[in-house]
DNA sequence: CGGCGCACTTAGGAGCTGCAGG
DNA sequence: CCTGCAGCTCCTAAGTGCGCCG
């Protein structure tokens, strides 16, 4: 397993045989897959029937699907004193090792000229790009025109009209789209020249409870003043959630809630356990129910009202173009829901007033009006930042921003740049790997630790792991903040040598569990690092993310720890797609292959999700459908046989057409069955894996676009509307021969 | 030169909705 | 025509990394 070179993670063995090692040599062609590729971790790419899933696909470092169990264990973990080790009473801050900064100069040649490179690559050949995209677009249009109209029984004309309208709208939209990627970039640091907007949208004021809904304390009805009452309602609404059973949540809530009470109320209400929110909860449920049961017309009215709000507040004008704002609504007050064991869960997140909000826009724009009777905290005109409004949130004291939608120029350009940086890493990753392998032997402890950390980041796609203030957030770690207790070293394990077992909570308290064979030198270093340390001690005591990133930026301009995640994710997708897909596959198989390639990335990046609540049920339903279809197929086959028999020797046309008909029926049945089986496989494999995060944030869209073009899969089979909007730049500029 | 705050990306879950399939 | 649920949108928390300041 360990030496499976097809693994996206098996970097140390790949240093020399990386198929992409010499840059552009390799072109992603729609041809057959190479016959002699080593079998990849996902097992059979081809056997669509009976893909028995899960076990086979485990990645090389992963111990037979262990990661799959993680979510189930999450709860237990919280109670397990051996796992959750709390810090030791102070901020986790480290002394830095001064003796071996990233001063080494030998890497210098790696960096070449920066900035320029990105720019040139980005802007290159505007003319040809333009031409090509034009052709591509024409082609699309033609194909759409040729497609036969779906033949439903209903009024064909209506359908036709609707279709035409849709197409027209699409064209319209396309015409309106700002093709910013064809324009010159602004000078460094300038984000816009003109910005105008209406300011954020504030949530509605609190509406006091009707008189017949009462809160009780100690059995007696108490009418609370509105702010306290609002707090009570927040808590009541969450009563069915397990949050409200947690001690920390309850204590935090109660403390903050009391701050909203009048002196009298405060004196009376001293014990949360004596509070009865029952009627509030009932009312809440009734309201939810009522909303659900609204008539179509009522719903339509609400929908239209919302659209009006979006129309008014949801857009801004940025450099002559109307752009969608991502989050124009101020976050309404609520109880803070931190993830995992968050020390601040249950605290009251206060209502934001215009007086808390800073507005950012052009001086010469129409300055947004604050709501009547209010003022803004400040109006500034800073075109070196991308936000339109900001405020400070009271629970964590952090800043919140109103920013543009992902399909905007500002976001898109940054995204494009991100992938270009990752592509530049591709061209020098071999040298960087060689360097850190060398550094594993350094005399400087700091350098060694840096090398090992890089090895993990590169091979396992770990996050950088910034320091966190203790007591402010849940106890989670990344690479640099790993502690001794998160790692177990096995000289041998299950027949493999030098196995490192990781078990820690990462971002969003998602558990990372993995058993990884490492090279001997790394293993030796790891042993060295843990000497004389306790479980709660930092694993890399001479390293932090600043040091690491400083070193990385000396190797390549713009290189930081997170670039490795982007790079390894994208390169993995590209490699897997090439291995898994066949042009001769049918559509369902192609899509399964795409999902599997996507899945390889999601597993690498540890993107998990809670299994859908209805997973087992819906799986069983699907299986039932498959079974009944199988019966149908058997029946159809029998009928075909019969028809053939009857028709043999006869020249009766009726009989012959009957045979043909039956043949078709069998075929159709088979196709449907296959499609369902593929779907079942896909769904099963995806039980606890979230594909969306990597699709949205890590996979260079040009890889997917080129794949679609090459293998003749319509793009909307893999990208929904949002994704197509976000990646419009890539869809527009990518040719079949794109190589990441 | 390290600590901190700001700006921006990445993340999973809740809740809604539209449509496939009965 | 109804309904269940997959897939989407929305929401906001939780990361990364940079640059400023003392």
């Amino acid at each position: 397993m360990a030496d499976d070179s097809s693994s996206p993670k098996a970097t140390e063995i790949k240093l020399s045989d990386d198929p992409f090692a010499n840059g552009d040599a390799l072109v992603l062609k729609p041809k057959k897959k190479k016959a002699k590729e080593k079998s990849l971790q996902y097992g059979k790419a081809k056997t669509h029937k009976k893909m028995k899933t899960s076990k086979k696909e485990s990645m090389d470092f992963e111990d037979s699907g262990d990661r799959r169990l993680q979510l189930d264990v999450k709860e237990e973990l919280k109670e397990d004193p051996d796992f959750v080790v709390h810090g030791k009473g102070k901020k986790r801050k480290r002394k830095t090792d001064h003796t071996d900064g990233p001063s080494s100069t030998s890497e210098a040649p790696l960096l070449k000229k920066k900035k320029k490179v990105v720019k040139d690559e980005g802007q290159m050949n505007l003319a040809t790009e333009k031409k090509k995209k034009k052709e591509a677009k024409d082609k699309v249009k033609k194909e759409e025109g040729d497609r036969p109209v779906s033949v439903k029984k209903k009024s064909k004309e209506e359908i036709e009209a609707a279709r035409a309208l849709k197409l027209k709208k699409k064209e319209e939209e396309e015409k309106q789209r700002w093709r910013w990627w064809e324009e010159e970039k602004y000078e460094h640091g300038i984000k816009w020249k003109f910005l105008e907007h209406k300011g954020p949208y504030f949530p509605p004021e609190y509406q006091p409870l009707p008189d017949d809904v009462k809160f009780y304390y100690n059995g007696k009805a108490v009418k609370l003043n509105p702010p306290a009452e609002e707090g009570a309602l927040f808590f009541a609404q969450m009563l069915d959630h397990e949050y409200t059973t947690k001690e920390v949540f309850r204590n935090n809530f109660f403390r903050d809630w009391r701050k909203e009470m009048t002196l009298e109320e405060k004196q009376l209400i001293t014990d949360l356990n004596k509070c009865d929110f029952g009627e509030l909860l009932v009312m809440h449920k009734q309201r939810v129910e009522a909303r659900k049961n609204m008539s179509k017309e009522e719903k339509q009215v609400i929908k239209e009202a919302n659209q009006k709000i979006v129309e008014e507040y949801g857009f801004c004008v940025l450099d002559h173009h109307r752009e969608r704002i991502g989050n124009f609504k101020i976050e309404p007050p609520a109880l803070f829901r931190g993830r995992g064991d968050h020390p601040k869960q249950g605290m009251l997140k206060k209502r934001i007033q215009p007086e808390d909000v800073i507005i950012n826009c052009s001086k010469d724009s129409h300055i947004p009006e604050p709501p009547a009777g209010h003022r803004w905290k400040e109006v500034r005109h800073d075109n070196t930042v991308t936000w339109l409004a900001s405020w400070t949130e009271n629970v964590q004291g952090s800043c919140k921003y109103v920013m543009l939608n992902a399909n905007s120029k500002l976001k898109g350009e940054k995204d494009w740049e991100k992938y270009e940086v990752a592509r530049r890493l591709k061209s020098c990753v071999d040298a960087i790997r060689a360097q850190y392998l060398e550094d594993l032997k350094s005399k400087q402890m700091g350098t060694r630790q840096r090398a090992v950390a890089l090895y993990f980041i590169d091979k396992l796609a770990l996050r950088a792991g910034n320091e966190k203030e203790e007591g402010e957030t849940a106890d989670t770690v990344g690479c640099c903040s790993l502690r001794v207790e998160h790692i177990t070293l096995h000289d041998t394990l299950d027949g493999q040598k030098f196995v490192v077992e990781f078990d820690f909570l990462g971002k969003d308290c998602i558990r990372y569990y993995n058993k990884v064979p490492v090279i001997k030198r790394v293993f030796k270093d790891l042993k060295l690092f843990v000497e004389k340390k306790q479980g709660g001690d930092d694993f890399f005591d001479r390293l932090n993310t600043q040091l690491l990133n400083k070193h990385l930026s000396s190797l390549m301009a713009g290189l930081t720890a997170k670039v490795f995640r982007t790079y390894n994710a994208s390169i993995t997708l590209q490699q897997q797609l090439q291995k898994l897909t066949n042009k001769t596959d049918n559509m369902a198989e192609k899509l399964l292959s795409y999902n599997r390639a996507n899945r390889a990335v999601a597993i690498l990046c540890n993107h998990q999700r809670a299994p859908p609540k209805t997973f087992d049920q819906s799986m069983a339903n699907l299986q039932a459908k498959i079974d009944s279809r199988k019966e149908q197929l058997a029946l159809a086959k029998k009928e075909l046989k019969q028809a053939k028999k009857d028709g043999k020797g006869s020249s009766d046309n009726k009989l012959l057409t009957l045979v043909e008909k039956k043949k078709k029926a069998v075929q159709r049945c088979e196709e449907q069955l296959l499609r369902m089986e593929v779907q079942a496989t896909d769904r099963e494999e995806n039980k606890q894996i979230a594909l969306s995060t990597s699709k949205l944030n890590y996979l260079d869209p040009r890889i997917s676009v080129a794949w679609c073009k090459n293998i003749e899969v319509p793009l909307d089979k893999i990208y929904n509307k949002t994704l197509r909007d976000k990646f419009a730049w890539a869809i527009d500029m990518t040719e079949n021969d794109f190589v990441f």
Side-chain angles (χ1 to χ4, degrees), chain A residues 93-105:
Chain A
K93 288 268 150 90
R94 269 167 237 116
K95 293 284 105 174
T96 332
D97 177 44
H98 298 278
T99 55
D100 62 338
S103 54
S104 76
T105 47

mmCIF file of all heavy atoms in Angstrom, chain A residues 93-105:
data_model
loop_
_atom_site.group_PDB
_atom_site.id
_atom_site.type_symbol
_atom_site.label_atom_id
_atom_site.label_comp_id
_atom_site.label_asym_id
_atom_site.label_seq_id
_atom_site.Cartn_x
_atom_site.Cartn_y
_atom_site.Cartn_z
ATOM 1 N N LYS A 93 1.564 29.758 23.270
ATOM 2 C CA LYS A 93 2.456 30.596 22.479
ATOM 3 C C LYS A 93 3.840 30.034 22.682
ATOM 4 O O LYS A 93 4.192 29.589 23.761
ATOM 5 C CB LYS A 93 2.416 32.033 22.999
ATOM 6 C CG LYS A 93 1.107 32.700 22.659
ATOM 7 C CD LYS A 93 1.211 33.417 21.343
ATOM 8 C CE LYS A 93 -0.115 33.438 20.655
ATOM 9 N NZ LYS A 93 -0.879 34.605 21.027
ATOM 10 N N ARG A 94 4.610 30.106 21.662
ATOM 11 C CA ARG A 94 5.908 29.493 21.759
ATOM 12 C C ARG A 94 7.032 30.478 21.661
ATOM 13 O O ARG A 94 6.934 31.511 21.040
ATOM 14 C CB ARG A 94 6.090 28.497 20.642
ATOM 15 C CG ARG A 94 5.658 27.178 21.029
ATOM 16 C CD ARG A 94 5.571 26.378 19.787
ATOM 17 N NE ARG A 94 4.235 25.888 19.706
ATOM 18 C CZ ARG A 94 3.419 26.227 18.755
ATOM 19 N NH1 ARG A 94 3.804 27.011 17.812
ATOM 20 N NH2 ARG A 94 2.225 25.759 18.744
ATOM 21 N N LYS A 95 8.098 30.081 22.259
ATOM 22 C CA LYS A 95 9.341 30.820 22.022
ATOM 23 C C LYS A 95 9.834 30.372 20.652
ATOM 24 O O LYS A 95 9.785 29.198 20.318
ATOM 25 C CB LYS A 95 10.387 30.447 23.076
ATOM 26 C CG LYS A 95 10.021 30.910 24.467
ATOM 27 C CD LYS A 95 10.249 32.386 24.637
ATOM 28 C CE LYS A 95 8.985 33.023 24.619
ATOM 29 N NZ LYS A 95 8.358 34.087 24.759
ATOM 30 N N THR A 96 10.289 31.281 19.933
ATOM 31 C CA THR A 96 10.778 30.928 18.621
ATOM 32 C C THR A 96 12.249 30.584 18.687
ATOM 33 O O THR A 96 12.975 31.085 19.518
ATOM 34 C CB THR A 96 10.622 32.098 17.661
ATOM 35 O OG1 THR A 96 9.526 32.860 18.108
ATOM 36 C CG2 THR A 96 10.410 31.618 16.289
ATOM 37 N N ASP A 97 12.619 29.773 17.794
ATOM 38 C CA ASP A 97 14.007 29.375 17.728
ATOM 39 C C ASP A 97 14.763 30.391 16.883
ATOM 40 O O ASP A 97 14.536 30.541 15.704
ATOM 41 C CB ASP A 97 14.069 28.002 17.064
ATOM 42 C CG ASP A 97 15.493 27.574 16.891
ATOM 43 O OD1 ASP A 97 16.268 27.738 17.826
ATOM 44 O OD2 ASP A 97 15.817 27.102 15.797
ATOM 45 N N HIS A 98 15.644 31.068 17.507
ATOM 46 C CA HIS A 98 16.314 32.143 16.779
ATOM 47 C C HIS A 98 17.499 31.650 15.983
ATOM 48 O O HIS A 98 18.026 32.351 15.148
ATOM 49 C CB HIS A 98 16.834 33.202 17.757
ATOM 50 C CG HIS A 98 15.730 33.839 18.520
ATOM 51 N ND1 HIS A 98 14.989 34.861 18.012
ATOM 52 C CD2 HIS A 98 15.223 33.561 19.743
ATOM 53 C CE1 HIS A 98 14.080 35.222 18.904
ATOM 54 N NE2 HIS A 98 14.203 34.438 19.972
ATOM 55 N N THR A 99 17.914 30.469 16.297
ATOM 56 C CA THR A 99 19.183 30.029 15.726
ATOM 57 C C THR A 99 19.103 29.638 14.269
ATOM 58 O O THR A 99 20.099 29.657 13.582
ATOM 59 C CB THR A 99 19.732 28.821 16.502
ATOM 60 O OG1 THR A 99 18.711 27.829 16.491
ATOM 61 C CG2 THR A 99 20.071 29.219 17.911
ATOM 62 N N ASP A 100 17.952 29.277 13.825
ATOM 63 C CA ASP A 100 17.938 28.833 12.429
ATOM 64 C C ASP A 100 16.731 29.349 11.659
ATOM 65 O O ASP A 100 15.847 28.616 11.282
ATOM 66 C CB ASP A 100 17.996 27.313 12.339
ATOM 67 C CG ASP A 100 16.797 26.702 12.992
ATOM 68 O OD1 ASP A 100 16.186 27.358 13.831
ATOM 69 O OD2 ASP A 100 16.461 25.594 12.657
ATOM 70 N N GLY A 101 16.730 30.579 11.465
ATOM 71 C CA GLY A 101 15.676 31.180 10.637
ATOM 72 C C GLY A 101 15.789 30.683 9.215
ATOM 73 O O GLY A 101 16.716 29.954 8.876
ATOM 74 N N PRO A 102 14.864 31.071 8.414
ATOM 75 C CA PRO A 102 14.855 30.619 7.038
ATOM 76 C C PRO A 102 15.859 31.411 6.211
ATOM 77 O O PRO A 102 15.540 31.961 5.188
ATOM 78 C CB PRO A 102 13.430 30.930 6.584
ATOM 79 C CG PRO A 102 13.020 32.070 7.447
ATOM 80 C CD PRO A 102 13.785 31.969 8.714
ATOM 81 N N SER A 103 17.070 31.434 6.708
ATOM 82 C CA SER A 103 18.017 32.333 6.099
ATOM 83 C C SER A 103 18.773 31.706 4.944
ATOM 84 O O SER A 103 19.440 32.382 4.194
ATOM 85 C CB SER A 103 19.018 32.779 7.151
ATOM 86 O OG SER A 103 19.577 31.631 7.761
ATOM 87 N N SER A 104 18.665 30.406 4.838
ATOM 88 C CA SER A 104 19.507 29.737 3.850
ATOM 89 C C SER A 104 19.278 30.342 2.466
ATOM 90 O O SER A 104 18.170 30.622 2.064
ATOM 91 C CB SER A 104 19.180 28.261 3.820
ATOM 92 O OG SER A 104 17.992 28.063 3.158
ATOM 93 N N THR A 105 20.331 30.540 1.783
ATOM 94 C CA THR A 105 20.241 31.247 0.520
ATOM 95 C C THR A 105 20.263 30.322 -0.671
ATOM 96 O O THR A 105 20.016 30.727 -1.790
ATOM 97 C CB THR A 105 21.422 32.214 0.372
ATOM 98 O OG1 THR A 105 22.599 31.495 0.707
ATOM 99 C CG2 THR A 105 21.245 33.397 1.276
#
